[in-house]
Amino acid sequence: MLEKLIQLDKQLFIFLNGLGSSTFDALWLIITKQAYWMPIFLFLLYLVYKKIGTRQTLILLLFVAVLVAFTDQITNLFKNHFQRLRPCNDTSINTIIRVVKGSNSYSFFSGHAANTSAVAMFLFLNFRKKYKYFGVIFIWPLIFAYSRIYLGLHFPVDILTGYFFGTTFGFLMFKVYRKIIVS
């Protein structure tokens, strides 16, 4: 059963990765770097500040930092425990896929997917009633995570597992945040 899931995961990866084109490689290399998302982060920070003020914004940022650190460490524990090779290093497929970027760390599960979905969920739960279309924040983790498949760095199950853990931790951190802030 597990072997069948791994084979399906590889087949889906090969399909999704194969949709890429060298014409767009530079764009996806930009998308995958968090530093290039800074204008969006600053815009989100502005929206947060505008609704809750300086003090609450600083507290919220502290919670976001703890959330990212926590999801990042959990991701590293899983990667080191399962030691699943990244697609770019998997000899059973790396000669037939598009490898745009390499990495020597392990694949399962995606820290990019976990971190971005955790922050998106946390912010969404906090601001969904304050901004009508705040749900568009979930576009960010989707694009960000697909970049990892495009570049040859993660399998779809790595991404989906990262989403699951990220949204779960984002929800739990929201509950802790609300309990502390409301108390």
Side-chain angles (χ1 to χ4, degrees):
M1 176 72 172
L2 183 59
E3 191 57 41
K4 179 74 172 165
L5 178 62
I6 291 171
Q7 283 309 108
L8 288 172
D9 192 30
K10 285 183 180 184
Q11 290 172 356
L12 181 57
F13 169 81
I14 290 167
F15 171 75
L16 293 172
N17 175 263
L19 296 174
S21 163
S22 59
T23 305
F24 298 106
D25 290 353
L27 172 66
W28 288 101
L29 284 166
I30 289 170
I31 288 171
T32 204
K33 290 192 182 204
Q34 294 167 338
Y36 291 114
W37 290 84
M38 198 55 69
I40 292 172
F41 297 154
L42 292 173
F43 178 68
L44 283 171
L45 181 62
Y46 169 74
L47 291 177
V48 168
Y49 168 76
K50 188 175 172 185
K51 288 294 180 187
I52 63 176
T54 304
R55 183 177 183 279
Q56 290 301 319
T57 298
L58 292 173
I59 292 169
L60 185 123
L61 286 175
L62 177 63
F63 274 82
V64 168
V66 169
L67 178 61
V68 169
F70 184 74
T71 56
D72 210 45
Q73 292 309 306
I74 294 296
T75 300
N76 288 333
L77 285 173
F78 271 73
K79 285 181 180 184
N80 291 325
H81 176 74
F82 288 101
Q83 297 185 354
R84 183 180 193 192
L85 294 176
R86 289 181 182 271
C88 60
N89 298 326
D90 185 334
T91 57
S92 70
I93 63 168
N94 69 355
T95 58
I96 60 170
I97 63 171
R98 298 183 72 255
V99 177
V100 181
K101 182 178 179 176
S103 176
N104 292 325
S105 63
Y106 294 111
S107 183
F108 184 78
F109 57 87
S110 170
H112 283 76
N115 288 333
T116 56
S117 62
V119 171
M121 178 60 80
F122 179 74
L123 292 176
F124 172 74
L125 292 172
N126 276 292
F127 294 99
R128 66 180 181 231
K129 294 177 183 169
K130 293 176 173 56
Y131 291 105
K132 186 175 183 178
Y133 299 107
F134 205 75
V136 299
I137 194 170
F138 289 107
I139 293 171
W140 164 48
L142 291 174
I143 293 171
F144 204 52
Y146 178 71
S147 75
R148 310 306 286 170
I149 293 172
Y150 183 98
L151 297 172
L153 294 169
H154 280 294
F155 291 102
V157 166
D158 303 338
I159 300 295
L160 293 174
T161 305
Y163 280 151
F164 172 76
F165 276 87
T167 55
T168 301
F169 293 141
F171 174 78
L172 293 173
M173 185 60 79
F174 168 74
K175 290 295 190 183
V176 170
Y177 175 77
R178 298 305 300 170
K179 191 166 192 83
I180 291 172
I181 296 306
V182 173
S183 296

